[in-house]
Amino acid sequence: MALHYLESLLRETRTAGEPFEGGADEAELAYLASIAARPGTRSICEVGFNAGFSSWAFLGASPNVTVHSFDLANYAYSAAAKTHIDELFPGRHTLIEGDSHSTITGFATAHPDVRFDAIFVDGDHSVEGARADLTDLRALARPDTVVVMDDIMPWLWYGEGPTRAWQDALDEGSVLHTAYYQDGRTVDAVREPADRAWAEGRYSF
């Protein structure tokens, strides 16, 4: 089952003509797994659980990792995806349902001492939404926390917001850039066309 089951949830939803979002491809899943497998990584936070692809990659890469996901969880497959992740990785995944623009700050307030080793931003893809998620998640990071912004592809409608938010954070110095990735390879700059592209960095403190 595992990833094949999560993929089937998306296919069934698409076939039924119901709303859905795509998942990560093989190259990105391998990259996410590599983050979880890095020495010292124990806790990961992500915005955007969707059908559980990224959570599956993180949790499957290391038995020592736990994942907290912030997500609206309002798709037809949301509950089934969460149940499957819990069956595969019991006690290691937490889903915080609701609008990340309130749940992240609420979580940070309720858990003032919690900091994550890695943060994956793949939620609201508007400029304002991506910028807010990136800003709000700062409260859950340390200086050595790895921060990854997904969909750095400004030539696609859903990549415009994340790309602008990331660039704005770089320009203002709130994020320190370390690398760009395009289709699983490290690149100096992301260029069209690309199936997937993302950026890695750290918050500046």
Side-chain angles (χ1 to χ4, degrees):
M1 294 176 75
L3 184 60
H4 295 301
Y5 175 73
L6 298 176
E7 291 172 332
S8 73
L9 294 177
L10 288 184
R11 284 196 303 270
E12 291 169 5
T13 302
R14 183 174 60 244
T15 300
E18 298 177 4
F20 74 99
E21 293 181 19
D25 63 13
E26 184 176 346
E28 186 174 24
L29 291 174
Y31 164 79
L32 296 178
S34 74
I35 288 180
R38 291 176 183 177
T41 300
R42 293 293 182 271
S43 60
I44 297 175
C45 167
E46 65 173 356
V47 181
F49 174 73
N50 193 30
F53 286 32
S54 51
S55 292
W56 172 84
F58 289 135
L59 294 165
S62 170
N64 301 314
V65 164
T66 60
V67 174
H68 281 67
S69 303
F70 295 89
D71 195 272
L72 290 172
N74 58 357
Y75 289 116
Y77 50 77
S78 297
K82 169 58 176 165
T83 296
H84 190 59
I85 290 296
D86 287 342
E87 290 172 347
L88 293 172
F89 311 105
R92 295 172 55 202
H93 180 258
T94 301
L95 176 62
I96 298 98
E97 297 186 23
D99 188 337
S100 63
H101 304 316
S102 60
T103 56
I104 292 174
T105 55
F107 181 89
T109 299
H111 306 277
D113 298 325
V114 171
R115 298 293 184 273
F116 293 94
D117 301 313
I119 290 173
F120 181 47
V121 188
D122 187 22
D124 186 337
H125 280 55
S126 69
V127 176
E128 297 79 8
R131 185 183 291 132
D133 282 341
L134 193 58
T135 299
D136 293 343
L137 287 163
R138 183 186 183 92
L140 299 176
R142 299 185 305 269
D144 61 344
T145 296
V146 173
V147 182
V148 178
M149 177 68 83
D150 195 26
D151 294 323
I152 303 295
M153 297 181 289
W155 56 87
L156 298 175
W157 68 267
Y158 59 83
E160 294 177 3
T163 304
R164 177 67 180 276
W166 185 258
Q167 188 59 54
D168 287 349
L170 292 176
D171 291 344
E172 67 186 23
S174 60
V175 164
L176 304 175
H177 170 74
T178 57
Y180 284 116
Y181 296 88
Q182 179 170 336
D183 299 335
R185 301 181 303 276
T186 306
V187 295
D188 294 329
V190 175
R191 296 181 175 85
E192 185 180 4
D195 291 330
R196 301 290 297 195
W198 56 93
E200 178 180 330
R202 286 178 171 79
Y203 288 102
S204 61
F205 284 90

